[in-house]
Amino acid sequence: MLTDRLFARSARSAGSSADSSPSRWHHGPWWSNSYLLTPLLSILVFLVVMSLILWSLNRREQQQQEDTLYRNVAWAQQQIRLSMTGAQEQLQALSRDLVSGRADPHSFQVSTADIMQGHPEILYMNWYTSAQQPRWPNNALPGLGQRLAKPNDQQMDEAVKAAFAEARNTRRQVYSPLMYDDVGNGYITLQTPVYRDRDFLGTIAAVFSIEGILKRDIPPELSAKYKISIIDVNNRELATTSTRPRLPRDAYYDLPLDPPGQGVSVRVYAYPQMTNFTNNTLVWLVAGLSCFVLWSLWSLWKHTRQRFEAQQALYAEAFFRRAMENSVLIGMRVLDMHGRITHVNPAFCRMTGWDESDLVGKNAPFPYWPRDSYPEMQRQLDMTLRGKAPSSGFELRVRRKDGSLFHARLYVSPLIDSSGRQTGWMSSMTDITEPKRAREELAAAHERFTTVLESLDAAVSVLAADEAELLFANRYYRHLFGIRPDGHLELAGGGSFDSSAASSDSIDMVDAFAGLPAAALTESTADAQEVYVQGIQKWFEVRRQYIQWVDGHLAQMQIATDITTRKQAQELARQQDEKLQFTSRLMTMGEMASSLAHELNQPLAAINNYCSGTVALVKSGRTTPDNLLPVLEKTAQQAVRAGMIIKRIREFVKRSEPKRQATRVADIVADAVGLAEIEARKRRIRIVTDMRSRLPVIYVDPVLIEQVLVNLLKNAAEAMHDARPDAVDPVIRVVVRLDSGFVCISVVDQGPGVDEATAERLFEPFYSTKSDGMGMGLNICRSIIESHRGRLWVVNNVESDGHITGATFHCSLPIGEPDGPSNGGSEAPTPQTVTGEL
Ligand code: ADP
């Protein structure tokens, strides 16, 4: 209940007021004590007033008691005085009687007996003469001294004597001072002077017992109420009505008994009163009640304190929950069992834009339902109320107050109260617009990615490393190989990765990650490999890489790009190259045709001469076989020479597939020089060959290398002739040497050399400085040499004075079998700058 109120209160005072409230509660517990202060104060006032009343009552009572005591003391005093005065008067009368009447012992005895009867306190009476002698001896007055205890005679004498003297002098009755007997009883003697006119006849002495006075003269009602004592000047108790020892707190009152007493006082003690008991009871009652009230107040305070603390804790808890609810980003909504909204948190309001008042108490359709999806929302609500809401929640669209929509996910759970009873349904709502957008974007990106992958003209496939299972294959792969892993294996080169290879060492190592860092594996990129797949007659450039598949396992990804067309183009280019080379050779031959014809003409003319001579000799009949034989041998030699020339030409220009074979460098050089010489000789240029006798075998196409050398020699001869046609003994040197795994053939001419501009463009196709030049020669030469993994370059021959004496074309070729171990991977030596700069 309290919590409800708290929540209601908190809900009302949301925002800034909600912030200020806790501090009020936390820092202001003054009220909890102040409301206790009032009863405490009233109790104190009550106590004070009660104490005052009791005190004044007590005081009054004491006053009354004192008054009563005083009155009673006065009364007792008066009684004693009266009695004493009575005795005095009787003694006075007796003295007068004695003077006027007969003075015999009998009558005196009768009179004294009368008086003593009336005053039992008088213990002894006698008539003393003026000489202080008893008028009659004791025996003459029997019984007079019997009632006297044992007065100290001497003491008595002194006291009596003093009183006697005073009475005689003053002619008045005089009391003697107090006398004591052995046990401490007090006595007083009254001396009554007896005068006949002027004659002093003595005194009548009467001894009063103090105790007797007390017993005789105090009325019994007084002695019943009070303890009455007679005390002397030394505060000694001479007689008392009660033997009860005096209590220290008993109140008493003294009144002097002068003149008879001579320092004797009457003291009255008040017995403790009944009223005191009532008073005390009242005091105790009040005190007890006050204590009870104080205890009640204390327990009330304690209870309130506990309650206050509990309340504080509750407030703290409530505000904590409130703060939590306010700061939480998830919208929360509570429905009762009938589907009515009973609570929404601020996040829900923020999300939807609807105020709490717009939502709380509303039944379906709720304001945030989009109008076009009422049936769907109603269906979801019905499911919720039936307890059939899916645990994964509902995905729904929510209409904000401004009409905009957003996507949300709503989770529903039953709301159970403290007694374990379900009171409604708690729903939590999260705005999933952003995640949904991200997901959609992701999906779109995935789709784009898939589309790209799918529409790729390359077969992309991923194969599990440990088992030959195809994990992914794009459309092109599926188009070529279906969904079988065979295609992947075939592209992998058959043996390098197949299902059996999965158990081979390499894959085992990869699969088990046995010492192989998978990360490093996945990072390593394999070189592209060209693979021809027989089944579908296609060329592929295959790149493969080990990757970590989504499930963490190692997989091999393979991207096979179809390069069949490229391959075909390459083949075409190669064929065209061949054709070009062939054409180039034909052209070279064409250019050399006249020289060749002239060269052929010589042996043929010689053969003709020899044959004509032989015919003439045979016709003359002067011939003998011995004469004919040398001529015929020479003829045959010339025919062989012509045949050699024709063979060289034929071999040079024959069209054949490029074929590498083990060839001796000397043969190539000799053939090339042999052909080039024919042309050079026409220009009177010598070709000098400089090579070691033992040269290694190289694996080249001899016709092509010969073509290169012929071309270089022809260019050298042309350059030399063009530059210095009148040169004396021009020489072209062909130098062959070995250079770290390469055979370097250099053609050194004595031409003009190559200037810088020409050197840059020398090997470009169709670059020529000659009017009839095609400019294809050096370009073809370089492509031939490079296809043999060699290099072709030019440097100028420079004299020490900087004078250029010609150009040298270097051509280096690797020794050993192509891709063989001797030169595998090695490059042609870098051209050394032996001569000036180019
Ligand atoms: P072409 O001989 O048809 O001109 P090449 O490709 O054989 O075509 O030669 C290209 C050019 O290189 C020549 O035009 C010439 O200028 C230059 N050249 C070739 N060899 C030499 C050389 N030994 N000395 C000077 N220049 C040369």
Side-chain angles (χ1 to χ4, degrees), residues 711 715-716 719 749 753 762 767-770 773-778 809:
N711 221 316
N715 273 351
D749 65 37
L762 214 55
Y767 174 78
S768 175
T769 56
K770 300 164 192 166
M774 270 285 282
M776 285 299 291
L778 286 178
F809 281 81

Side-chain angles (χ1 to χ4, degrees), residues 268-279:
V268 174
Y269 290 99
Y271 289 132
Q273 297 290 309
M274 281 304 282
T275 46
N276 276 357
F277 170 75
T278 322
N279 252 356

Side-chain angles (χ1 to χ4, degrees), residues 368-438:
Y368 56 83
W369 283 9
R371 296 218 165 76
D372 55 347
S373 54
Y374 274 9
E376 173 61 14
M377 299 295 266
Q378 187 63 50
R379 190 185 65 76
Q380 290 183 353
L381 181 67
D382 292 344
M383 279 175 79
T384 303
L385 293 178
R386 285 203 310 275
K388 297 273 170 51
S391 58
S392 57
F394 296 111
E395 194 171 317
L396 67 163
R397 283 183 313 137
V398 178
R399 189 168 69 91
R400 291 199 187 90
K401 198 169 186 174
D402 61 7
S404 59
L405 294 171
F406 68 94
H407 290 272
R409 185 164 280 280
L410 196 76
Y411 297 95
V412 183
S413 55
L415 189 71
I416 311 291
D417 70 3
S418 56
S419 60
R421 198 165 51 88
Q422 184 181 351
T423 56
W425 299 94
M426 163 67 101
S427 318
S428 55
M429 186 167 80
T430 41
D431 186 345
I432 56 162
T433 312
E434 193 53 30
K436 195 177 163 74
R437 195 183 58 77

Side-chain angles (χ1 to χ4, degrees), residues 587 591 711-720 722 747-755 758 761-781 794 796 806-809:
M587 280 169 65
E591 284 164 14
N711 221 316
L712 293 179
L713 288 166
K714 189 170 81 66
N715 273 351
E718 280 172 1
M720 281 164 70
D722 291 350
V747 177
V748 188
D749 65 37
Q750 294 171 342
V754 184
D755 61 50
T758 312
R761 305 191 56 198
L762 214 55
F763 298 99
E764 284 178 13
F766 306 113
Y767 174 78
S768 175
T769 56
K770 300 164 192 166
S771 55
D772 55 346
M774 270 285 282
M776 285 299 291
L778 286 178
N779 178 265
I780 291 168
C781 286
V794 62
N796 279 334
T808 301
F809 281 81

Side-chain angles (χ1 to χ4, degrees), residues 66-108:
E66 273 174 28
D67 288 352
T68 314
L69 208 59
Y70 178 74
R71 273 199 306 275
N72 285 325
V73 173
W75 187 31
Q77 183 202 33
Q78 204 176 10
Q79 287 298 316
I80 292 169
R81 277 194 181 162
L82 272 176
S83 168
M84 299 285 279
T85 314
Q88 271 177 265
E89 280 173 0
Q90 280 180 326
L91 283 168
Q92 197 81 46
L94 180 64
S95 96
R96 277 191 304 267
D97 286 352
L98 286 176
V99 172
S100 61
R102 294 174 297 123
D104 60 288
H106 178 69
S107 60
F108 181 77

